[in-house]
Amino acid sequence: MPFTALHPEAGRLDATLPDLGCGMDWTQVHKARPRVELSCPECGWGVHAKHSPSRVRFFCHDPGRPPSCELSNESWEHHMLKLELAGAIRAAGWYAELEVSAEDGSWRADVMASSPDGAQRMAWEAQLSPITVEDIRARTARYRAEGITVCWVSPHKKPPQWVMSPVVV
């Protein structure tokens, strides 16, 4: 269930933004006829615009999607945490983009925050599943190599082990 999709003419769409991040209205992609050919930015498979029962806008993979697509395999809780992070970042006056990947594919930020002047970028990682300190160090190093700071977020009441260990890269 990605929040982003690729449009053949407008480029990257973000369902969490009122104008989809490109000046388009949701009705131009949601139930539009003829159907707009949208694709998943992660796996390239076709997606279509959809609402959850609680009216959260997102893009849903068409039948037959590759089982390896990481965006499709994320839990509802992970998606909602990404949405909350993006909302908080935007409320603080920064720009927030969901599911942003490095050009070479070496990383994909759950939420990429950019300062209003564009001088600073910070990746926000919603980490719900178990992860090792070594994996966090390696992923943090990939961001740092591109001048991006990173903040790891866990919603668990009991802090995960990686929160208790200093991550110095």
Side-chain angles (χ1 to χ4, degrees):
M1 172 183 109
F3 286 119
T4 56
L6 299 177
H7 185 280
E9 291 146 17
R12 191 172 186 278
L13 305 181
D14 184 334
T16 69
L17 295 171
D19 70 348
L20 303 178
C22 64
M24 291 180 71
D25 188 77
W26 182 248
T27 59
Q28 291 178 267
V29 295
H30 182 251
K31 296 186 179 181
R33 296 291 178 246
R35 183 177 165 186
V36 179
E37 294 297 321
L38 303 174
S39 61
C40 174
E42 180 80 14
C43 68
W45 198 258
V47 296
H48 56 280
K50 196 169 178 177
H51 288 120
S52 75
S54 58
R55 307 298 295 163
V56 174
R57 300 182 330 181
F58 65 97
F59 297 101
C60 182
H61 280 83
D62 295 337
R65 69 158 174 86
S68 61
C69 180
E70 290 184 32
L71 287 176
S72 183
N73 292 327
E74 292 175 343
S75 69
W76 178 254
E77 292 80 11
H78 189 260
H79 287 292
M80 292 299 95
L81 182 53
K82 291 192 307 188
L83 192 58
E84 287 183 45
L85 289 170
I89 292 162
R90 291 171 181 153
W94 281 44
Y95 300 101
E97 291 182 90
L98 283 89
E99 302 156 358
V100 174
S101 295
E103 286 189 30
D104 66 0
S106 62
W107 52 261
R108 180 177 50 82
D110 287 329
V111 182
M112 181 62 73
S114 300
S115 61
D117 64 2
Q120 298 176 50
R121 291 193 309 165
M122 182 176 202
W124 289 79
E125 291 293 340
Q127 193 62 45
L128 282 79
S129 58
I131 188 170
T132 66
V133 172
E134 292 76 25
D135 285 342
I136 286 187
R137 282 189 180 124
R139 288 174 61 185
T140 299
R142 288 194 293 269
Y143 285 120
R144 284 221 178 131
E146 295 196 35
I148 301 168
T149 55
V150 62
C151 181
W152 294 87
V153 178
S154 172
H156 301 297
K157 290 181 182 178
K158 180 181 177 190
Q161 184 61 38
W162 53 264
V163 170
M164 308 307 281
S165 302
V167 178
V168 179
V169 180

